[in-house]
Amino acid sequence: MQIGTTLTQFLADEQRRAGVITDDLRILLGEVFTACKVISNAINQGALAGVMGNLDSENVQGETQKQLDVITNEIFIEACERSGQLAGMASEEMEDVYRIPDNFVRGRYLLVFDPLDGSSNVNVNISVGTIFSVLHHDGDASHPAVSDFLQPGTRQVAAGYALYGSSTMLVLTTGQGVNGFTLDRNIGEFVLTHPGMTIPADTKEFAINASNQRFWEAPVQRYVAECVAGKTGPRGRDFNMRWVASMVAEVHRILVRGGVFMYPKDTKDPTKAGKLRLMYEANPMSFIVEQAGGMSSTGRQRILDIQPEGLHQRVPVILGSKNEVELVVSYHQGH
Ligand code: AHG
Ligand code: MN
Ligand code: MN
């Protein structure tokens, strides 16, 4: 029986081949993958574990936390704080930077994560995920401050997501393309199943929460109206629409068969620039999408070029197949 290429083996090969991965990064990523396997098991248990409910607490975004939001956050911390490679961590579920306890060795990397993405789907048995981003810590050996985390997405060392779907997958980039791995539960390893993932430049599929249509700006109104008009409209072809409400699942679909995903700027809440968070949703996903030949923009700016101003900053997101994202961006010019 053939084992295939495990993720551990793949990273060792990449380190030898391209030289961009260090021993330290490999150790850190190994702990991240362990966290994702533990989360996969927790989610797989479903209602059997009795943890599918809401908590009374809210996270820093003012969203009601689910039991699994908190549990998955704790799994990540426990798996990664002992790696010896981290200076600090930040997550959707923690208002402030997480300090590595002083009894553990600290390292040169920062880890930012959304431990459970699409959590509104968790108790209806629809795909959810985990998103992570690794940055360098340029500072000294002291505990990092928020300002140390506020690096543009172009400075990410690695980014990836785990998708807890009909199978569990891990998709990773270290800036040398994008590769996808499927969890083989019999051996407890992620095995390379989707080498060199690329996003087709053209697509006939778009994803947006249409219930927000009345709040969209004119460029997005125009783009969606033209898609919906289909064969008899200006695009001259029929489009298909999908909305899972788990960004990880949407991005994964786009990596496999193309498409455009939009959570654009809207007027629903003027205090929010968008719904999705820059540091642990938009940036890692944009790194992956660009590495797969796609494009990612706010409509007005490349997401990876944004200088972050806060850990939990929100941004508009338009990403996916290059030609379609370029079209949406062109509709924003002059608006
Ligand atoms: P999270 O569960 O981490 O808060 O993220 C949910 C995000 C994203 O995954 C998804 O694309 C979007 O919110 C769904 O938003 P709607 O509820 O407006 O559909
Ligand atoms: Mn999320
Ligand atoms: Mn989340």
Side-chain angles (χ1 to χ4, degrees), residues 24 27 80-87 104-108:
D24 290 355
I27 292 169
C80 298
E81 66 182 353
R82 291 178 281 194
S83 68
Q85 308 304 333
L86 283 177
F104 296 127
V105 174
R106 290 200 300 277
R108 296 179 306 134

Side-chain angles (χ1 to χ4, degrees), residues 7-21:
L7 183 43
T8 315
Q9 186 65 55
F10 176 86
L11 286 179
D13 290 348
E14 280 286 278
Q15 182 173 3
R16 276 190 291 272
R17 191 183 62 82
V20 287
I21 301 169

Side-chain angles (χ1 to χ4, degrees), residues 18-266:
V20 287
I21 301 169
T22 60
D23 286 342
D24 290 355
L25 181 61
R26 255 187 329 122
I27 292 169
L28 171 59
L29 289 174
E31 304 301 353
V32 169
F33 306 149
T34 299
C36 293
K37 287 187 240 181
V38 176
I39 293 173
S40 177
N41 282 341
I43 285 164
N44 209 249
Q45 279 289 301
L48 294 174
V51 290
M52 303 303 266
N54 287 333
L55 295 171
D56 293 334
S57 54
E58 286 186 349
N59 66 12
V60 60
Q61 342 271 336
E63 297 159 346
T64 304
Q65 284 181 307
K66 298 222 176 292
Q67 283 171 287
L68 273 173
D69 282 321
V70 174
I71 291 168
T72 53
N73 193 61
E74 282 166 1
I75 290 170
F76 238 81
I77 289 173
E78 196 187 329
C80 298
E81 66 182 353
R82 291 178 281 194
S83 68
Q85 308 304 333
L86 283 177
M89 292 186 242
S91 145
E92 176 185 350
E93 304 303 332
M94 299 182 288
E95 182 159 6
D96 297 316
V97 168
Y98 179 81
R99 285 169 73 106
I100 305 297
D102 284 325
N103 53 322
F104 296 127
V105 174
R106 290 200 300 277
R108 296 179 306 134
Y109 292 107
L110 302 172
L111 182 64
V112 192
F113 55 95
D114 174 357
L116 189 61
D117 174 66
S119 55
S120 72
N121 281 326
V122 81
N123 57 355
V124 287
N125 208 349
I126 291 174
S127 299
V128 291
T130 295
I131 310 172
F132 61 89
S133 163
V134 179
L135 297 160
H136 276 298
H137 176 48
D138 301 327
D140 55 24
S142 63
H143 289 285
V146 170
S147 56
D148 292 306
F149 284 80
L150 302 182
Q151 306 177 32
T154 46
R155 298 197 54 201
Q156 290 171 103
V157 176
Y161 63 78
L163 171 61
Y164 314 110
S166 43
S167 57
T168 288
M169 284 195 66
L170 197 298
V171 172
L172 178 72
T173 186
T174 54
Q176 305 286 310
V178 180
N179 292 281
F181 304 80
T182 304
L183 181 61
D184 183 337
R185 289 187 189 275
N186 293 322
I187 58 171
E189 292 268 11
F190 287 105
V191 177
L192 182 64
T193 48
H194 295 60
M197 297 178 91
T198 52
I199 301 174
D202 292 300
T203 182
K204 291 201 242 176
E205 203 159 64
F206 67 98
I208 191 164
N209 182 342
S211 71
N212 293 324
Q213 179 165 14
R214 66 195 181 284
F215 303 115
W216 299 339
E217 295 186 317
V220 172
Q221 294 280 4
R222 176 182 171 191
Y223 176 76
V224 173
E226 290 180 357
C227 290
V228 172
K231 244 190 196 114
T232 54
R235 302 301 306 277
R237 61 182 198 262
D238 289 336
F239 278 75
N240 191 22
M241 200 279 280
R242 286 285 181 276
W243 188 250
V244 185
S246 288
M247 187 193 200
V248 169
E250 322 271 10
V251 169
H252 189 69
R253 185 185 61 246
I254 288 170
L255 276 166
V256 171
R257 68 179 190 207
V260 191
F261 168 87
M262 290 172 281
Y263 219 118
K265 180 168 158 38
D266 64 30

Side-chain angles (χ1 to χ4, degrees), residues 199 285-296 302-304:
I199 301 174
M285 290 312 206
S286 299
F287 189 18
I288 293 167
V289 164
E290 286 199 6
Q291 282 292 316
M295 185 171 165
S296 180
R302 181 186 178 211
I303 285 179
L304 292 180

